Amino acid sequence: MSLIEDLNWRHAVKAYDASKKVSQEDIDKIIEAARLAPSSSGLQPFKVIAVSNQEVKNRLVEGALNPECMRDCSHILVFAGWNRYTADRIDHVFKYTASERNLPGDRFQDYTDKLKAIYLNQAAEENFHHIAKQTYIALGLALAQAAELKIDSTPAEGFSNKIVDEVLELEKYGLKSVSLMYVGYADEQQDWMAPMKKVRTPKEDFVIEI
Amino acid sequence: MSLIEDLNWRHAVKAYDASKKVSQEDIDKIIEAARLAPSSSGLQPFKVIAVSNQEVKNRLVEGALNPECMRDCSHILVFAGWNRYTADRIDHVFKYTASERNLPGDRFQDYTDKLKAIYLNQAAEENFHHIAKQTYIALGLALAQAAELKIDSTPAEGFSNKIVDEVLELEKYGLKSVSLMYVGYADEQQDWMAPMKKVRTPKEDFVIEI
């Protein structure tokens, strides 16, 4: 199927069958799509935390808009961004890139100097807005990959960042949670969204051609 | 090809062949992928402005990091978010959704009351951060769709929002530019990124499994 067919197939599932688990092979593909996502300057300022441990999932539920989804899905993918840009993080990415491309280690010095001049002069909060935006590209591609595999999913912002960050100890990685993606197989009886028509802004209201 | 193959195929093109134009049919597919993107509460708080008029493209160039890309690509897709959430905008989306699903017009009243209580009590700037994040999901899917069609593209934040907003008169639509996507066919001699190895954070550093 094409991407457009996959996007028409998917919907934000509202109830999962807790007895059905997604295979490691398929989870790996979904995470691979997120890993291949482009990001501003190629910094990839985030990680994905894949939570399948039921006890840990249960501890994330408090404060969630759809606690049953969180509890019953197979895996919760947590998109967690760097708490801010730092010189070390920027240097690490570009030294690795230079090494992978067999370029001199200082090949990107001018470019990283420019990035540092921008980001290190911003407040951490402003950094984090920019970082969080990059994670949404990866979220979109992970949702598309799940759809290609005919695996159900739900993107979610309705959760307690504080609880997720604490339970997953994200601070020790210098990360903060941005969004979640529930992955699993729908409970077809309980998923009230499934029979609903997919509604999007009509094309004529969505695009302006110049 | 699979999504993962498409994502491995694509790269951020650094030079376009100005003589090659993308067909309307293909542009429509790329915009359709963006239109089908999920968004928070389904509000789709953005539009895509597709600019192929050369004179208009030339006027957007000032302040761009890669002015030649902007000038020489076939189409510039501008992802432009609502300047803020309003009661009218929220009501409009949910009345349309109710109508498309043959539900009573007030079916989503409780839900929209909750959304308004959150968003209308935030500053416009905070609204816009949330809105801008949603556009990145659509940007990611549009990039994936271009790759599926073997059409070249470049996601771009390096441009003057002020100039883009003014030239495209986005204020009159209550929109503000967020990001750009250049679409076209690479100039294979000049696109210095093409021969470079794609580098991403290694899987073991990208994912934490719990």
Side-chain angles (χ1 to χ4, degrees), chain B residues 126-138:
Chain B
E126 193 176 355
N127 269 196
F128 190 67
H129 278 305
H130 185 258
I131 287 163
K133 286 167 188 165
Q134 311 309 314
T135 71
Y136 282 74
I137 303 175

Side-chain angles (χ1 to χ4, degrees), chain B residues 63-173:
Chain B
L65 272 186
N66 294 302
E68 298 83 4
C69 279
M70 197 183 253
R71 187 191 63 210
D72 295 340
C73 71
S74 170
H75 290 66
I76 302 170
L77 302 186
V78 181
F79 291 79
W82 294 351
N83 53 3
R84 70 161 304 150
Y85 291 112
T86 68
D88 280 351
R89 283 169 153 169
I90 292 170
D91 286 337
H92 178 79
V93 170
F94 280 92
K95 280 181 184 159
Y96 179 69
T97 300
S99 151
E100 285 290 296
R101 291 180 180 164
N102 296 312
L103 298 168
D106 61 356
R107 167 64 181 77
F108 294 108
Q109 179 87 45
D110 288 351
Y111 190 67
T112 54
D113 284 350
K114 279 181 200 159
L115 293 178
K116 290 174 196 172
I118 297 169
Y119 293 134
L120 306 189
N121 286 307
Q122 290 177 353
E125 190 184 345
E126 193 176 355
N127 269 196
F128 190 67
H129 278 305
H130 185 258
I131 287 163
K133 286 167 188 165
Q134 311 309 314
T135 71
Y136 282 74
I137 303 175
L139 170 65
L141 296 175
L143 290 164
Q145 182 58 64
E148 184 178 282
L149 296 166
K150 299 296 160 286
I151 292 170
D152 293 313
S153 66
T154 315
E157 291 177 335
F159 64 95
S160 163
N161 294 82
K162 183 171 182 292
I163 288 171
V164 169
D165 291 5
E166 283 176 5
V167 168
L168 302 180
E169 300 180 323
L170 295 187
E171 193 177 349
K172 79 176 183 191
Y173 302 105

Side-chain angles (χ1 to χ4, degrees), chain A residues 30-201:
Chain A
I30 293 167
I31 292 170
E32 180 66 0
R35 193 181 74 91
L36 290 170
S39 59
S40 191
S41 306
L43 285 169
Q44 288 185 276
F46 59 97
K47 289 183 194 282
V48 170
I49 299 98
V51 184
S52 57
N53 180 296
Q54 191 61 43
E55 188 269 329
V56 176
K57 280 164 58 197
N58 292 344
R59 288 169 61 204
L60 299 177
V61 159
E62 194 187 338
L65 272 187
N66 294 303
E68 298 82 5
C69 279
M70 196 182 254
R71 187 191 62 210
D72 296 340
C73 71
S74 170
H75 289 66
I76 302 170
L77 302 186
V78 181
F79 291 80
W82 294 351
N83 53 2
R84 70 161 303 149
Y85 291 112
T86 68
D88 280 352
R89 283 170 153 168
I90 292 169
D91 286 338
H92 179 79
V93 170
F94 280 92
K95 279 181 184 160
Y96 179 69
T97 299
S99 149
E100 286 290 296
R101 291 180 178 164
N102 295 314
L103 298 168
D106 62 355
R107 167 62 182 78
F108 295 108
Q109 179 88 44
D110 288 351
Y111 189 66
T112 54
D113 284 350
K114 280 181 200 159
L115 293 177
K116 290 175 197 172
I118 297 169
Y119 292 135
L120 307 188
N121 286 307
Q122 289 177 352
E125 190 184 345
E126 192 176 355
N127 270 196
F128 190 67
H129 279 304
H130 185 258
I131 287 164
K133 286 167 189 165
Q134 311 309 314
T135 72
Y136 281 75
I137 302 175
L139 170 65
L141 296 174
L143 291 164
Q145 181 59 64
E148 184 178 282
L149 297 166
K150 300 295 162 283
I151 292 171
D152 293 314
S153 67
T154 314
E157 291 177 334
F159 64 95
S160 163
N161 294 81
K162 183 169 180 291
I163 288 170
V164 169
D165 291 6
E166 283 176 6
V167 169
L168 302 180
E169 301 181 321
L170 295 187
E171 193 177 349
K172 80 176 182 191
Y173 303 104
L175 298 172
K176 289 163 65 177
S177 58
V178 177
S179 67
L180 306 183
M181 175 175 162
Y182 307 139
V183 185
Y185 294 98
D187 177 332
E188 292 179 12
Q189 304 306 313
Q190 299 296 323
D191 178 21
W192 54 265
M193 187 66 96
M196 297 280 178
K197 179 180 177 186
K198 181 186 285 289
V199 180
R200 291 290 187 273
T201 305

